[in-house]
Amino acid sequence: MKCLSTLAHSRLALRAAAAIMLIVGLLGVCFLHLAVHFRAESEKDIQQTRLEGLVSTVERTAQIACFLEDTQLASEVTQGLLSNRIVRRASLSRNDGSLLADHITNSDHSSGTPLTRQIASPFEPDRTVCQLTLVPDQDWIDGQINEATRFLSVALLLQLLCIGLSVILVVFYFVTRPISDISQKLHALEAETGQKLATPGGHRRDEIGRLVTSVNTMIDRLVNSLSEERRQRLAREVEERRYRTLFDNVEVGIFELDDQGRLLSANPAFCRLFMAGEPFDIKAQPRVFTTLISEGGPTLRELTTRRARRDSVREWEMAVGKGDQRRWVNVMVSRLEEGRLQGVAHDITERRRAAEAAEKLAVTDPLTGLGNRLGFERRLSVIERYHRLHPDHRHALMMLDFDHFKQINDAHGHHAGDEVLRQIADILRAISRQHDFSARLGGDEFVVLLDHRTPRDDLAVIAQGLINSINQPLTLQNGQQVRLGISIGIAILGSDTRDVQTLVQLADKAMYRAKREGRNTLRFHDRHLAFDI
Amino acid sequence: MTRVMRIILFTLLLSAAAARADIAIVINSDSDVQQINRSEAINIFMGRYRKLPDGSVALPIDQTPLRARFYRSLVNKEMAEINSYWARLVFSGQSSPPQQAASTIELVDIITHNTNALGYIDSDQVPASMRVLMTLRE
């Protein structure tokens, strides 16, 4: 039963047939009922009319028989009536109820409603002479009715059956068969190969044909959009591979950040630059970009503020790592989309080192490794700026001049002179503290810029220490020993002057005064003496 | 011409009808029966009962010349119907048509000689020896 119901649900033809048969059956039952009812009624009427007709036929004879009370004639009439099978019993009775003639059939059929007719005198229509009673044979009448209705039922049923079958055939032929055809073909269709559905024969112009056309159009569109999509996907994959190769192999660090400055992705070059080659793990706790920087670069706030993010491209230089491992990186960050930043990092360590080396070369005396005149002047300008910011900090300048240095050159040659200069530089380096700066301005002219935290008394101690060191005999490479004297002039920025150029002059003058006043000694600038010279 | 003839014929027929008298059912004046009603007349002449109201036997007599008029008056039937009626009863033999008198004279003769006989006659020709039992108006 369940199987049948499943089958009916899956087969349009079966369902349609079932529905049609049901409707035809219901209609058939109704029509049959009505038709049988009306046929039975009309058959009853026919039988009634027939009875009446029988009575009318024999009425004249019955009138005469009754009029004359002729039992023989009356009996003739009743017997004649009985020869009709519809009549079960026929009787003629006088007005007083006594029977003139009475005949009944032998059969044991049941009786119907009796039909009584008053029989008038043949000569006086107003005078009733007797009454004729006909008892119909109900079984026979029923039989007649049944026969009539049976024929009708069979005819009607056959007709309905034929109509139902015809409708089913028509529906099957014109609707369900083409549809199931199409469905099967559609199932087996390989649309990717550009196959099309064929229209079932004879349906080219009707709804089925249009359905097939629509399906074909849809297949076309689907195939087109599928191949277009495939093409685009391939193009995207190539693009993606190209980008991935670039991303993985380029020497430039590429990375993405979210709006909290956390790393979303990073390529191997970035990992080499910022994470000591440790590969980027997307599943690990995300690392904040700014924590990877050891010096320079933006703060997290600078990196992620809304206003900053609106700028098209921002650039920073920053240092990563410590000591010998320190690298300098140039980072450009641009906004990729809302809440997403993209950055490019270039390793600029070599360039920066080269620049630093060039800078250092420019301000260094090649012979002694101390600062040269350019270096000294730059240092002076730095101090000048510094002094302007902190007027109470007092930097001291020592101007050095070696006594009889020319004689060494003359006596031992330039090589010896150069060696002496290098040894002097070593001495200066030895007494210099971290923030002191020594430079050779040219020939045997040396200066020392001293840290501002040095008190005046200490300056004198340092200067005297220097004189003592210089006075020690210096041993040249060829074993010869030379002795040097030194005159030192000291001027202090802040107490003696506020101008660095004047400071140099004042120190120079103090140095000459030391030279004049006996050599191998030190002199502070003395403002009372300054104008005497 | 034809129209004139027709009118004349119609007038003659009318005057003849007007001239004809009613039909009287008569019996020998010796009979005790004074009169009968129409039903009794029908019963006697159509053979239902052959008895007079007083119980004596009735002998109905037909008069051939008046027969058609009489039955038309009495039961409103034509002779063909009356003949057919009697023909039907010949087989059962239970009843028979009235005795036939060929003329008024023969009728008068029969009635005069038989007190139970009764017949019919033009009402203006009833002899003194007969009693009118009923007059049928035409």
Side-chain angles (χ1 to χ4, degrees):
Chain A
M1 194 63 207
K2 196 180 172 189
C3 164
L4 203 67
S5 127
T6 316
L7 200 65
H9 275 105
S10 64
R11 290 286 162 83
L12 187 60
L14 274 178
R15 208 155 72 234
I20 290 164
M21 285 318 268
L22 188 69
I23 292 167
V24 165
L26 282 174
L27 283 178
V29 168
C30 292
F31 280 131
L32 195 63
H33 197 75
L34 274 175
V36 164
H37 178 73
F38 285 123
R39 189 73 187 91
E41 286 301 310
S42 90
E43 187 63 26
K44 266 185 211 163
D45 285 349
I46 286 171
Q47 298 303 336
Q48 190 67 27
T49 314
R50 205 169 150 193
L51 277 175
E52 307 249 1
L54 276 178
V55 170
S56 297
T57 308
V58 300
E59 190 168 15
R60 263 188 89 73
T61 316
Q63 275 180 321
I64 294 165
C66 288
F67 180 70
L68 296 176
E69 297 194 357
D70 186 335
T71 51
Q72 201 177 343
L73 193 58
S75 156
E76 203 67 43
V77 167
T78 50
Q79 260 181 335
L81 284 171
L82 277 190
S83 67
N84 288 285
R85 294 188 57 193
I86 188 172
V87 181
R88 177 154 192 271
R89 179 181 179 182
S91 62
L92 278 167
S93 53
R94 297 188 189 87
N95 284 340
D96 60 2
S98 57
L99 283 170
L100 194 62
D102 183 18
H103 280 94
I104 187 161
T105 53
N106 304 327
S107 66
D108 51 358
H109 287 177
S110 59
S111 308
T113 317
L115 173 74
T116 305
R117 177 78 69 89
Q118 302 297 327
I119 303 295
S121 157
F123 307 109
E124 290 167 294
D126 300 337
R127 183 183 290 263
T128 303
V129 286
C130 61
Q131 65 179 26
L132 175 63
T133 304
L134 279 189
V135 178
D137 185 334
Q138 193 59 46
D139 286 352
W140 190 79
I141 290 175
D142 287 349
Q144 291 299 105
I145 292 171
N146 284 344
E147 203 173 315
T149 53
R150 196 181 307 129
F151 175 75
L152 184 72
S153 315
V154 169
L156 198 61
L157 277 179
L158 272 176
Q159 192 188 5
L160 284 172
L161 206 64
C162 287
I163 289 172
L165 283 176
S166 308
V167 171
I168 287 167
L169 277 178
V170 166
V171 167
F172 176 72
Y173 185 77
F174 284 112
V175 181
T176 53
R177 202 185 60 171
I179 287 177
S180 76
D181 258 17
I182 291 171
S183 157
Q184 272 172 8
K185 281 187 199 154
L186 201 58
H187 194 70
L189 194 72
E190 291 169 0
E192 309 83 53
T193 61
Q195 259 187 328
K196 295 284 178 58
L197 268 185
T199 316
H203 289 286
R204 266 171 236 299
R205 285 159 188 278
D206 61 11
E207 287 84 348
I208 302 264
R210 283 206 289 280
L211 177 70
V212 169
T213 314
S214 301
V215 168
N216 280 338
T217 314
M218 199 179 74
I219 289 173
D220 262 355
R221 273 209 298 275
L222 278 178
V223 167
N224 281 343
S225 68
L226 271 178
S227 53
E228 175 66 14
E229 202 168 307
R230 190 176 301 151
R231 203 182 55 71
Q232 283 179 354
R233 200 174 59 229
L234 283 175
R236 255 204 321 279
E237 275 169 12
V238 169
E239 199 73 16
E240 176 88 26
R241 260 204 305 281
R242 190 183 294 155
Y243 172 71
R244 172 55 61 182
T245 312
L246 214 61
F247 184 77
D248 285 345
N249 298 321
V250 77
E251 274 308 312
V252 175
I254 299 170
F255 60 98
E256 282 180 308
L257 303 175
D258 65 7
D259 53 1
Q260 305 292 314
R262 288 181 296 223
L263 273 177
L264 295 174
S265 70
N267 72 340
F270 180 88
C271 296
R272 281 196 298 276
L273 275 175
F274 282 89
M275 288 143 71
E278 177 194 335
F280 180 74
D281 186 1
I282 197 147
K283 295 189 198 84
Q285 180 75 21
R287 306 177 71 164
V288 176
F289 177 65
T290 48
T291 60
L292 303 171
I293 304 167
S294 35
E295 189 190 327
T299 62
L300 186 59
R301 192 180 166 79
E302 280 171 342
L303 188 67
T304 58
T305 51
R306 190 166 286 275
R307 203 187 59 215
R309 272 180 287 138
R310 268 206 298 274
D311 299 340
S312 52
V313 177
R314 290 168 296 146
E315 197 171 349
W316 293 279
E317 281 189 13
M318 58 197 74
V320 180
K322 304 248 182 244
D324 291 346
Q325 301 297 315
R326 169 164 290 209
R327 314 284 301 171
W328 282 91
V329 184
N330 171 278
V331 171
M332 282 186 286
V333 175
S334 54
R335 185 170 167 275
L336 194 63
E337 58 179 42
E338 186 61 42
R340 209 170 167 92
L341 297 168
Q342 190 184 43
V344 181
H346 295 274
D347 187 347
I348 53 165
T349 311
E350 298 308 324
R351 202 176 72 202
R352 200 175 164 105
R353 276 183 188 159
E356 277 172 0
E359 173 70 17
K360 198 171 178 185
L361 205 63
V363 297
T364 304
D365 172 40
L367 180 66
T368 59
L370 300 175
N372 61 10
R373 184 171 285 274
L374 181 65
F376 173 62
E377 278 169 6
R378 286 203 183 156
R379 190 61 181 242
L380 268 185
S381 58
V382 169
I383 285 172
E384 188 181 21
R385 282 202 298 280
Y386 188 82
H387 180 70
R388 226 176 279 144
L389 292 171
H390 306 283
D392 54 326
H393 287 183
R394 299 179 192 283
H395 295 268
L397 176 63
M398 284 184 195
M399 191 68 80
L400 313 181
D401 188 72
F402 296 92
D403 306 327
H404 315 301
F405 182 74
K406 201 168 182 318
Q407 285 90 321
I408 294 173
N409 255 351
D410 293 344
H412 303 283
H414 285 290
H415 284 292
D418 289 349
E419 198 177 340
V420 169
L421 289 174
R422 276 199 289 272
Q423 290 199 14
I424 290 169
D426 289 340
I427 292 166
L428 284 177
R429 268 195 283 273
I431 64 151
S432 289
R433 294 156 307 171
Q434 196 182 350
H435 295 289
D436 298 343
F437 175 79
S438 309
R440 184 175 81 107
L441 302 181
D444 60 341
E445 198 179 346
F446 284 80
V447 290
V448 179
L449 266 168
L450 290 152
D451 193 302
H452 61 85
R453 280 163 295 193
T454 319
R456 194 183 175 96
D457 293 344
D458 283 5
L459 284 175
V461 172
I462 289 167
Q464 194 55 57
L466 181 59
I467 291 169
N468 294 341
S469 299
I470 293 293
N471 285 344
Q472 298 296 315
L474 299 174
T475 308
L476 299 181
Q477 280 186 328
N478 53 17
Q480 288 182 319
Q481 289 201 328
V482 293
R483 258 176 209 281
L484 279 174
I486 183 169
S487 302
I488 301 174
I490 303 170
I492 298 168
L493 191 66
S495 29
D496 297 335
T497 177
R498 295 195 179 278
D499 175 44
V500 287
Q501 294 309 320
T502 313
L503 182 71
V504 174
Q505 287 170 14
L506 292 180
D508 205 38
K509 282 173 184 166
M511 183 268 287
Y512 277 109
R513 198 154 55 88
K515 224 184 241 291
R516 269 199 318 272
E517 293 175 5
R519 294 184 189 270
N520 212 23
T521 184
L522 63 100
R523 288 293 181 269
F524 282 94
H525 167 72
D526 186 344
R527 72 177 66 183
H528 305 294
L529 291 172
F531 298 103
D532 302 346
I533 305 169
Chain B
M1 189 65 190
T2 356
R3 189 179 291 170
V4 174
M5 285 293 282
R6 270 192 195 165
I7 292 168
I8 292 168
L9 194 66
F10 190 63
T11 318
L12 278 174
L13 277 170
L14 272 180
S15 57
R20 208 157 51 203
D22 293 333
I23 293 172
I25 296 176
V26 293
I27 196 163
N28 192 319
S29 53
D30 292 343
S31 171
D32 294 336
V33 180
Q34 297 301 314
Q35 61 174 30
I36 56 171
N37 59 24
R38 181 179 280 262
S39 272
E40 284 164 338
I42 291 172
N43 286 341
I44 290 166
F45 277 96
M46 299 316 292
R48 193 180 191 191
Y49 307 125
R50 285 288 150 88
K51 278 181 187 150
L52 287 168
D54 63 351
S56 54
V57 175
L59 182 64
I61 311 292
D62 267 344
Q63 188 194 171
T64 310
L66 270 181
R67 206 172 155 211
R69 274 177 64 200
F70 173 72
Y71 282 109
R72 200 180 298 126
S73 296
L74 184 69
V75 293
N76 194 25
K77 291 202 188 300
E78 296 302 319
M79 279 317 295
E81 288 172 282
I82 300 298
N83 289 338
S84 145
Y85 170 75
W86 287 118
R88 221 185 281 251
L89 296 173
V90 167
F91 302 102
S92 66
Q94 199 172 43
S95 191
S96 55
Q99 190 182 331
Q100 300 292 314
S103 65
T104 311
I105 297 158
E106 191 182 340
L107 178 89
V108 171
D109 184 52
I110 293 170
I111 291 176
T112 310
H113 292 97
N114 193 338
T115 51
N116 287 338
L118 71 171
Y120 45 88
I121 194 164
D122 264 343
S123 56
D124 51 358
Q125 292 176 8
V126 178
S129 58
M130 292 184 193
R131 182 183 300 138
V132 175
L133 292 175
M134 182 188 178
T135 305
L136 291 171
R137 308 212 174 271
E138 284 182 291

